[in-house]
């Protein structure tokens, strides 16, 4: 896939700055109340603007700016969870029930936790992970079990919990994937690849990790050729960075040079 120019990357960064300031202005002007929009939606959008900014800076090799923007992204993306589950959150009185929130779901939770792995900040993890939870309906949905197990395993790993618990969670998911064959591309294939990568990390299996990460990146690049090809996250994968950071915790290595993995975030 053709890589973006420095000018295009800078444009993504500038657009993200503009969107953040524009959103702040609309909030002050009462845009949210006028259109009956949730505060959670605004916080999630701002978190995504900061994510794009972080990816842009990372692609330009600007490590401090990338880490600063990624930190802001994580804090804003976590706010809907804090509004739902943190009684000390200053915005809790404006929260909608988690079951009715469009900002707390399995894909959003999975990507947030992998972004936290990419930042690799134990202090922020300890502060936020207790509130990064799923609504009850997801926990009971067997069709989504593999993705739910990904989230559970990541919560334990990022909290530096018991490896045996993380391994048990992932084994359950991987066994389910094997007994219910995955056909074609899609969320189940993507989930299986992430779970296999995390499993290899816990087992300290370098070769399996290398192969699973390679498969994940191949699928990610294929997906990026579609409607996302003009967006920053099509050219840099926070998920891959997060899995590499977790692998390094367990003594594994990443010695590749893949365009989807900006060195400024490693």
């Amino acid at each position: 896939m053709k890589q973006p120019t420095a000018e295009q990357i800078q444009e993504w960064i500038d657009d993200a700055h503009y969107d953040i300031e524009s959103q702040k202005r609309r909030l002050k002007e009462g845009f949210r109340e006028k259109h009956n929009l949730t505060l959670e939606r605004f916080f999630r959008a701002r978190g995504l603007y900061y994510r794009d900014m972080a990816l842009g800076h990372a692609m330009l090799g600007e490590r401090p700016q990338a880490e600063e923007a990624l930190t802001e992204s994580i804090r804003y993306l976590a706010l809907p969870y804090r509004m739902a589950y943190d009684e000390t959150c200053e915005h809790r009185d404006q929260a909608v029930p988690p079951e009715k929130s469009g900002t707390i779901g399995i894909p959003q939770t999975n990507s947030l936790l992998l972004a936290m792995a990419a930042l690799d900040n134990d202090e922020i993890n300890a502060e936020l992970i207790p509130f990064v939870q799923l609504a009850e309906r997801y926990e009971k949905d067997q069709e989504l079990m593999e993705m739910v197990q990904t989230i559970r395993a990541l919560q334990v790993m990022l909290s530096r919990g018991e490896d045996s618990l993380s391994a048990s969670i992932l084994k359950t998911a991987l066994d389910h994937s094997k007994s219910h064959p995955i056909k074609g591309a899609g969320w189940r294939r993507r989930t299986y690849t992430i779970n296999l990568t995390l499993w290899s990390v816990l087992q300290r299996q370098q070769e399996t990790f290398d192969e699973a990460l390679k498969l994940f990146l191949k699928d990610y690049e294929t997906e990026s050729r579609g409607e996302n090809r003009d967006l920053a996250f099509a050219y840099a994968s926070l998920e891959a960075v997060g899995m590499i950071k977790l692998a390094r915790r367990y003594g594994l290595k990443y010695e590749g040079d893949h365009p989807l993995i900006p060195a400024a975030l490693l």
Side-chain angles (χ1 to χ4, degrees):
M1 187 166 62
K2 185 178 180 181
Q3 293 302 298
T5 64
E7 290 76 14
Q8 185 177 2
I9 295 171
Q10 187 60 53
E11 186 175 329
W12 288 331
I13 295 172
D14 294 341
D15 286 347
H17 279 290
Y18 174 83
D19 289 336
I20 290 168
E21 294 307 313
S22 178
Q23 189 198 68
K24 290 178 180 179
R25 185 178 64 253
R26 292 199 304 272
L27 279 172
K28 288 181 180 180
E29 293 172 350
F31 181 88
R32 182 176 70 85
E33 293 81 2
K34 180 179 179 180
H35 295 276
N36 196 30
L37 301 174
T38 67
L39 188 56
E40 290 93 334
R41 177 176 171 179
F42 275 76
F43 286 146
R44 174 164 175 77
R46 194 176 303 180
L48 294 177
Y49 297 148
Y50 274 113
R51 179 204 63 185
D52 289 347
M53 194 185 303
L55 293 176
H57 284 302
M59 283 186 277
L60 291 176
E62 300 168 347
R63 182 185 297 272
Q65 297 93 324
E67 291 180 345
E68 180 181 356
L70 182 54
T71 300
E72 289 299 304
S73 173
I74 288 168
R75 289 200 176 279
Y76 277 109
L77 290 173
L79 263 175
Y81 298 87
R82 291 191 56 225
M83 289 174 68
Y85 301 112
D86 181 3
E87 294 183 358
T88 69
C89 178
E90 61 180 311
H91 305 290
R92 186 171 171 80
D93 61 332
Q94 301 180 66
V96 299
E99 292 77 11
K100 296 182 179 180
S101 174
T103 60
I104 296 179
I106 289 180
Q108 296 94 327
T109 308
N110 183 69
S111 63
L112 171 57
L113 289 170
L114 284 171
M116 295 172 77
L119 183 62
D120 196 23
N121 184 308
D122 282 337
E123 184 176 343
I124 290 176
N125 291 346
E127 175 189 345
L128 297 179
I129 285 176
F131 309 113
V132 180
Q133 304 178 30
L134 290 173
E136 188 175 354
R137 72 177 185 273
Y138 296 121
E139 297 279 358
K140 295 181 178 180
D141 191 333
Q142 285 301 303
E143 290 188 4
L144 301 174
M145 185 271 285
E146 292 154 306
M147 292 183 77
V148 171
Q149 299 296 73
T150 308
I151 289 167
R152 289 174 174 167
L154 282 168
Q155 288 170 325
V156 177
M157 293 175 76
L158 288 171
S159 301
R160 296 189 181 271
E162 291 293 329
D163 291 347
S164 59
L165 175 57
S166 303
S168 175
I169 292 169
L170 289 169
K171 187 176 187 305
T172 299
L174 291 169
D175 287 347
H176 184 271
S177 298
K178 291 178 182 178
S179 62
H180 298 74
I182 299 170
K183 299 178 181 179
W187 69 264
R188 285 198 67 216
R189 177 182 168 93
R190 183 183 179 91
T191 300
Y192 170 77
T193 307
I194 292 173
N195 286 341
L196 181 60
T197 307
L198 296 176
W199 168 262
S200 68
V201 168
L202 288 166
Q203 301 303 311
R204 295 171 173 80
Q205 296 177 351
Q206 183 71 57
E207 185 175 348
T208 304
F209 170 77
D210 292 340
E211 289 300 316
L213 182 64
K214 182 178 179 181
L215 180 59
F216 174 83
L217 290 168
K218 181 179 178 181
D219 290 344
Y220 193 100
E221 190 167 14
T222 299
E223 294 172 10
S224 298
R225 292 194 181 102
E227 61 184 14
N228 299 326
R229 62 184 178 274
D230 294 324
L231 302 175
F233 66 84
Y235 298 91
S237 172
L238 275 178
E239 293 95 334
V241 172
M243 289 187 285
I244 290 171
K245 289 284 192 71
L246 286 172
R248 287 178 171 176
R249 284 190 182 187
Y250 287 81
L252 300 186
K253 298 179 180 179
Y254 171 72
E255 297 178 343
D257 183 21
H258 197 285
L260 282 171
I261 303 176
L265 284 177
L266 293 180

